[in-house]
Amino acid sequence: MDFVGSHILSIDQFERPDIDRIFAVAVLMEPFAQRKRVTKVLDGAILGNMFFEASTRTRISFGCAFNLLGGEVRETTGIENSALAKGESLYDTARVLSGYSDVIVMRHPEAGSVAEFASASRVPVLNGGDGANEHPTQALLDLYTIQKEMLAKQRQLDGLRIAMIGDLKYGRTVHSLVKLLCRYKNIHLHLIAPAALQMPEHLVEMARANGHTVHISEQLEGSIAHVDIAYSTRIQEERFGSRAEADLYRGKFRLNQSVYTQHCEPNTVIMHPLPRDSRAEANELDTDLNENPNLAIFRQADNGIVIRMALFALTLDVVDAIDDCSQAVGWYTGSRFQ
Ligand code: NCD
């Protein structure tokens, strides 16, 4: 695809060479993300970071990614703090905000809302999550992480065995990740969820149509026995009618060190898009895994920066100019990226 000026709304837009291109540019971003070099390539550019739904890492990492390229960030958080609460349409909001920004990132609780917004925007719009539909940049950073973790074991993405665990019905990260894995070959998908929260049928069908094997299960232990990746997810409480309804499913699948030791192959990589729900009644990914070297959740979060930098650099067409505008970092950077 031609990235320049394009919206990034869904994994449906990408073919495998596009994913390779994003990952190749992400690698170029590593020295900037690791505070070895700084660049001013987007000096003067403005990102409109519009988060109409709760977020910590997606919002901050999009903002940091833009800052790391030298650009400025303006943001709004929560529908209640925006004119949408006064009845303004997405169309009007998009027309206005795209006059103020060079690129917009948007998260919104309704599926399809970011695409609707993008159709009225005069600048590229990147989907930061639209309801239970998609979260394409999370899937890209997830796959970038998986690729890195597998390469360390001399493995490719083709042939990957992955378990997705938890709320697969409302979890937009796993929806986008299944679509992304459909660009690869011979994937073994283990979908572990309560029957009522299983992966939407059209995505299961898409995976099967791509020649992948799909195992559906309501039981954690047996289903994580032969996988490379165990990808846990949170019950998406905000998508349920009530807290009581979400409580029916909370805490059903708990991955902790003891379950891991007993049931997983050695060195199975543990992932989660975060936030993990660490309340006692949920605790889908126990903190007793924190020192397990196969816990990739914070490497995953770190990778959000380079993926988002890559998408900005591609859509704003500055990939080839980055090095010319860069220099070594002049301040103490510590050892956090070693
Ligand atoms: C996810 C999301 O918002 O869909 N979080 C994130 O962006 N990393 C997952 C979640 O909220 O459970």
Side-chain angles (χ1 to χ4, degrees):
M1 68 176 274
D2 184 6
F3 285 96
V4 179
S6 289
H7 303 306
I8 305 291
L9 300 174
S10 163
I11 296 298
D12 297 337
Q13 293 171 256
F14 303 130
E15 295 303 330
R16 191 153 161 175
D18 304 319
I19 302 162
D20 292 343
R21 175 83 176 125
I22 296 167
F23 288 1
V25 177
V27 170
L28 300 177
M29 301 300 157
E30 296 279 3
F32 303 102
Q34 293 173 13
R35 308 299 199 275
K36 294 188 175 120
R37 295 192 69 75
V38 280
T39 178
K40 286 276 170 209
V41 75
L42 286 183
D43 191 16
I46 295 176
L47 163 67
N49 214 16
M50 306 295 144
F51 276 71
F52 299 119
E53 200 183 38
S55 173
T56 300
R57 78 221 81 236
T58 306
R59 180 171 64 86
I60 302 295
S61 69
F62 265 118
C64 287
F66 206 74
N67 288 149
L68 286 167
L69 289 166
E72 297 243 4
V73 182
R74 291 284 170 273
E75 56 187 14
T76 187
T77 51
I79 287 182
E80 67 285 4
N81 297 322
S82 80
L84 292 175
K86 300 181 184 176
E88 187 169 57
S89 65
L90 285 171
Y91 176 89
D92 284 3
T93 307
R95 294 289 300 184
V96 171
L97 293 177
S98 56
Y100 300 163
S101 327
D102 296 280
V103 57
I104 292 173
V105 174
M106 185 173 157
R107 169 174 286 189
H108 191 284
E110 273 171 48
S113 54
V114 181
E116 183 186 340
F117 180 93
S119 66
S121 169
R122 294 170 280 167
V123 298
V125 174
L126 279 61
N127 184 357
D130 62 320
N133 182 34
E134 277 217 48
H135 194 345
T137 66
Q138 177 72 40
L140 287 165
L141 76 87
D142 288 342
L143 195 69
Y144 184 75
T145 305
I146 294 170
Q147 187 175 52
K148 272 190 168 181
E149 302 284 327
M150 289 297 104
L151 272 180
K153 302 179 165 94
Q154 282 87 46
R155 292 273 313 280
Q156 306 290 317
L157 288 173
D158 292 324
L160 185 79
R161 304 166 301 161
I162 180 169
M164 297 182 182
I165 307 154
D167 184 351
L168 308 184
K169 177 180 181 188
Y170 295 120
R172 56 193 170 197
T173 75
V174 284
H175 298 168
S176 290
L177 188 54
V178 166
K179 287 186 174 186
L180 200 51
L181 289 169
C182 284
R183 302 294 180 266
Y184 294 81
K185 294 198 185 82
N186 193 26
I187 305 292
H188 301 271
L189 270 175
H190 297 259
L191 304 177
I192 306 160
L197 299 185
Q198 254 305 345
M199 184 67 71
E201 196 49 38
H202 73 278
L203 293 170
V204 172
E205 285 312 312
M206 184 187 288
R208 289 196 168 125
N210 275 276
H212 300 340
T213 52
V214 183
H215 307 265
I216 290 181
S217 169
E218 283 192 68
Q219 199 253 344
L220 179 68
E221 283 76 7
S223 309
I224 52 173
H226 302 293
V227 297
D228 304 300
I229 309 282
Y231 187 110
S232 168
T233 64
R234 175 182 70 88
I235 298 298
Q236 306 284 294
E237 180 179 333
E238 62 277 31
R239 314 252 178 260
F240 287 79
S242 66
R243 197 192 150 110
E245 200 190 328
D247 283 342
L248 296 174
Y249 306 107
R250 230 190 289 272
K252 280 248 184 296
F253 304 113
R254 292 184 171 160
L255 190 53
N256 56 31
Q257 188 57 54
S258 145
V259 170
Y260 182 87
T261 309
Q262 282 180 56
H263 300 285
C264 291
E265 289 177 359
N267 296 323
T268 300
V269 175
I270 306 158
M271 295 178 64
H272 191 300
L274 300 179
R276 54 179 157 170
D277 186 345
S278 293
R279 290 171 289 191
E281 63 274 25
N283 208 21
E284 69 265 2
L285 193 59
D286 201 292
T287 50
D288 73 356
L289 287 158
N290 282 2
E291 300 309 317
N292 185 323
N294 296 295
L295 184 75
I297 57 177
F298 300 117
R299 297 193 283 278
Q300 212 179 331
D302 280 352
N303 288 332
I305 293 286
V306 288
I307 288 295
R308 291 173 174 134
M309 287 180 81
L311 290 170
F312 287 134
L314 285 161
T315 52
L316 297 179
D317 197 18
V318 292
V319 175
D320 296 333
I322 288 170
D323 272 338
D324 292 346
C325 308
S326 84
Q327 62 184 61
V329 159
W331 63 86
Y332 170 77
T333 56
S335 56
R336 70 196 140 139
F337 295 111
Q338 282 162 7

